[in-house]
Amino acid sequence: DTGVSQNPRHKITKRGQNVTFRCDPISEHNRLYWYRQTLGQGPEFLTYFQNEAQLEKSRLLSDRFSAERPKGSFSTLEIQRTEQGDSAMYLCASSFPGQRSVSSYNEQFFGPGTRLTVL
Amino acid sequence: DAKTTQPPSMDCAEGRAANLPCNHSTISGNEYVYWYRQIHSQGPQYIIHGLKNNETNEMASLIITEDRKSSTLILPHATLRDTAVYYCIVRGGSGGYNKLIFGAGTRLAVHP
């Protein structure tokens, strides 16, 4: 399977614990994105990387959240001291700008997501 | 905030065309209209995009009005597998082509 993969698919944790999610993008894609989706809502942007550089962070990304992409390949999203409000689906996407014409610029391919439940 | 307005839900009979509307009255000249869909328990999937001309691909057709203030996604022969939430997204221009800003989308139910 050459799509975006995310692990784990499901995570149940107790409030106050730390959790870490992993995203493996499509191999030639140099941009990687994290989104969060709560029930009944569309995904909300959290942050994105171009190669190993984190270029934009949403105000939704509090200081308890940290994302890394150390070698410009896979990425991790860590949530420290989880709260019940962190319960959501965390989606990862990747893209390769310039792959096609500018009108197809930066089509994002999404992974299946990691569903986090904080008890 | 999302720059688009969509009906929260729609129904369609299997085999018929599904026409999903989207209003984007504040769209600027260099912004594109993108459509993604999200099938239950999966990540969003790109469908189609356009600037001002109508577009067609193997999944759908996109009709953009001449003033570009609204558009319609057409699934010509809907199947049960097309049941999903469909998101209309305005993208580009000064906002760039990076993040996607999703609204609540339209929940399309295709029934037998």
Side-chain angles (χ1 to χ4, degrees), chain A residues 58-66 79 86:
Chain A
S58 162
R59 65 182 185 278
L60 294 174
L61 212 66
S62 75
D63 56 4
R64 296 185 298 105
F65 288 69
S66 63
I79 309 174
D86 297 331

Side-chain angles (χ1 to χ4, degrees), chain A:
Chain A
D1 187 349
T2 57
V4 177
S5 62
Q6 293 188 245
N7 289 287
R9 294 291 309 276
H10 303 274
K11 179 70 177 178
I12 299 174
T13 191
K14 293 182 179 179
R15 187 176 50 150
Q17 298 295 305
N18 299 343
V19 294
T20 301
F21 311 139
R22 176 178 170 128
C23 171
D24 287 89
I26 294 172
S27 60
E28 66 268 26
H29 286 187
N30 62 348
R31 289 195 176 185
L32 186 148
Y33 310 79
W34 286 98
Y35 292 82
R36 181 177 70 183
Q37 185 173 26
T38 54
L39 203 60
Q41 303 298 315
E44 299 172 289
F45 170 79
L46 292 178
T47 187
Y48 95 93
F49 293 83
Q50 180 163 306
N51 299 313
E52 67 276 10
Q54 189 173 17
L55 297 186
E56 186 174 352
K57 293 195 294 185
S58 162
R59 65 182 185 278
L60 294 174
L61 212 66
S62 75
D63 56 4
R64 296 185 298 105
F65 288 69
S66 63
E68 294 183 344
R69 195 182 183 200
K71 296 183 180 179
S73 56
F74 72 91
S75 175
T76 57
L77 178 68
E78 180 183 16
I79 309 174
Q80 295 181 328
R81 305 180 304 280
T82 53
E83 303 173 355
Q84 288 183 325
D86 297 331
S87 295
M89 175 76 83
Y90 289 85
L91 293 160
C92 176
S94 70
S95 71
F96 181 56
Q99 185 176 16
R100 304 189 187 100
S101 69
V102 66
S103 63
S104 299
Y105 191 79
N106 218 11
E107 174 189 334
Q108 295 185 20
F109 294 83
F110 283 81
T114 294
R115 181 167 296 283
L116 173 66
T117 302
V118 182
L119 302 176

